[in-house]
Amino acid sequence: MCGGRGTRLESDREKPLYPIDGVAMVDRVLRALAESAVETTYAAVSPNAPETRDHLASDDGPALIDTPGEGYVTDLGVALESEAVTTPVLTVAADLPLLEAATIDRVLERHDDGSATVCVPVALKRRLGVSVDATLAPHLAPTGVNVVGASTERQMTYVHYDPRLALNVNRLEDARIAEERCE
């Protein structure tokens, strides 16, 4: 998912293209996906991030799915309605610059036929000093990694304690902390 406006980041760059340790966040996420057990990668792009779309549009890049840019839930729905995408599908936000293939594989190994939201404890995000913009419960924050399963009846929440999942870059301070963790 890489079509959001990224206004909280307060940068002149589109959020997916914001560099962490010299590498665009979306490229870091794509590298982790390429090194994981994920077989096919798609990028949900929107009119909100035209430079990101151009950046990803290449023969060796992910297949692009155009979305309206009306928000994560709407854009995800459009991506899921695409003929190319079948469930189960792993969704990953482009603002997880520290994501690693092993973490993705652990999520996939735990998955069954239902849907799953990957969360981290709010306390972990606070300990790292990164922003907490949404919570699913008073003590859990979504990471931007989800599995949309074939079954809509089973909804799981996976709780991870991996700081790399806790660091999604929404603000400049988050980017600074991500830079420090890359060293």
Side-chain angles (χ1 to χ4, degrees):
M1 300 297 293
C2 51
R5 286 192 172 96
T7 55
R8 293 174 290 180
L9 188 55
E10 299 176 9
S11 170
D12 58 349
R13 294 188 178 139
E14 292 176 4
K15 185 176 177 180
L17 298 179
Y18 193 89
I20 300 296
D21 199 31
V23 179
M25 287 194 291
V26 70
D27 291 340
R28 290 176 161 280
V29 169
L30 287 171
R31 181 174 55 219
L33 290 166
E35 294 171 356
S36 75
V38 170
E39 296 174 12
T40 306
T41 305
Y42 300 91
V45 296
S46 83
N48 295 327
E51 292 173 28
T52 299
R53 185 185 203 300
D54 292 346
H55 177 81
L56 296 173
S58 69
D59 292 338
D60 60 341
L64 302 181
I65 298 174
D66 289 306
T67 65
E70 295 175 2
Y72 183 87
V73 173
T74 300
D75 287 0
L76 176 59
V78 169
L80 292 172
E81 290 173 3
S82 165
E83 292 178 14
V85 177
T86 58
T87 56
V89 63
L90 177 79
T91 66
V92 180
D95 64 359
L96 290 167
L98 304 182
L99 186 64
E100 293 182 346
T103 303
I104 295 166
D105 290 343
R106 280 194 299 276
V107 169
L108 295 173
E109 287 167 6
R110 288 185 68 183
H111 179 258
D112 56 17
D113 67 334
S115 293
T117 300
V118 180
C119 294
V120 294
V122 169
L124 174 59
K125 290 181 76 74
R126 290 199 172 118
R127 189 172 72 238
L128 293 170
V130 297
S131 61
V132 179
D133 292 304
T135 58
L136 293 182
H139 63 286
L140 294 177
T143 63
V145 176
N146 302 284
V147 179
V148 179
S151 170
T152 57
E153 293 178 19
R154 294 191 51 188
Q155 299 284 333
M156 301 287 299
T157 300
Y158 298 156
V159 180
H160 281 260
Y161 298 86
D162 186 338
R164 293 169 294 232
L165 279 173
L167 213 162
N168 55 327
V169 174
N170 288 314
R171 293 178 167 65
L172 288 175
E173 181 64 11
D174 300 336
R176 185 190 65 73
I177 294 167
E179 286 272 349
E180 288 175 358
R181 292 207 161 248
C182 284
E183 299 171 350

